[in-house]
Amino acid sequence: MKKINIIILSLFISLAYTEETKKDFQIHKLHVGPNEDAYVASFKASANSFILKEVKIKKPKTRNLKKLRFINDDDEYAIRVFDKNGTEMIAIGIGNPFFATYEHIGYEDRKYMGGPVTSADIEIAIPLEFKPAVFIISKRDSLGKFNDLQEILVP
């Protein structure tokens, strides 16, 4: 009987604890849909410098949404978004914007399907739940580790 009382008591304590943690927990949507407004940040970039052109609230272009994803092994560059308190909100992989790939029927057997470019226009979409204050641009080194290239404050 004593064991049953201990089990019931521990069950009530755990239920009360989970109710408290539910109240403090907020889930933020990490991706933006094509019909939703978002913060759209536009950058003019070269290999060593990124310039923030603007941050607007608008519907992002569908072709840009297809490119946006979390960081993976293929990404050479990444943009990390921080709020005003310095908390990292989201990290977005942007691949290598300085290598243009092309597809052409009849040339699929070629060793190289692209080439380097000197500059790129980059747009990223950030859900409205996040208030971007700082963008940190990172570049992957030869060992696969991301190193901060540049910090950009949102005006």
Side-chain angles (χ1 to χ4, degrees):
M1 185 69 176
K2 192 173 188 180
K3 289 182 182 180
I4 293 175
N5 287 339
I6 292 173
I7 292 172
I8 292 173
L9 179 65
S10 62
L11 182 65
F12 282 123
I13 291 172
S14 66
L15 287 174
Y17 179 73
T18 56
E19 282 297 319
E20 288 178 19
T21 57
K22 280 183 188 177
K23 293 175 187 174
D24 296 336
F25 188 70
Q26 289 183 335
I27 296 177
H28 293 289
K29 187 175 177 182
L30 296 176
H31 294 287
V32 179
N35 297 323
E36 300 174 27
D37 283 340
Y39 291 107
V40 177
S42 303
F43 298 91
K44 180 72 175 170
S46 66
N48 295 319
S49 174
F50 282 65
I51 299 168
L52 180 64
K53 292 196 293 190
E54 64 183 5
V55 177
K56 284 188 173 180
I57 297 177
K58 63 181 184 178
K59 290 181 179 26
K61 297 176 184 171
T62 305
R63 66 183 168 136
N64 291 337
L65 289 177
K66 290 178 185 177
K67 297 178 194 177
L68 295 179
R69 62 193 182 293
F70 295 120
I71 298 172
N72 64 28
D73 292 339
D74 297 332
D75 290 319
E76 192 76 22
Y77 290 84
I79 299 176
R80 296 182 302 148
V81 181
F82 291 82
D83 67 2
K84 64 182 176 185
N85 299 325
T87 305
E88 183 173 344
M89 304 305 289
I90 191 168
I92 300 170
I94 58 172
N96 185 354
F98 309 110
F99 187 84
T101 58
Y102 56 86
E103 297 177 16
H104 195 305
I105 297 173
Y107 293 94
E108 293 87 4
D109 59 343
R110 299 284 193 254
K111 184 176 178 181
Y112 300 105
M113 294 293 288
V117 294
T118 58
S119 66
D121 291 323
I122 300 167
E123 278 191 357
I124 61 169
I126 303 161
L128 288 177
E129 289 87 16
F130 303 137
K131 305 267 189 277
V134 177
F135 295 107
I136 294 184
I137 314 299
S138 302
K139 182 179 179 183
R140 191 184 301 265
D141 63 11
S142 60
L143 299 175
K145 182 182 174 212
F146 277 102
N147 297 315
D148 292 347
L149 182 68
Q150 186 176 354
E151 182 176 319
I152 301 171
L153 299 174
V154 177

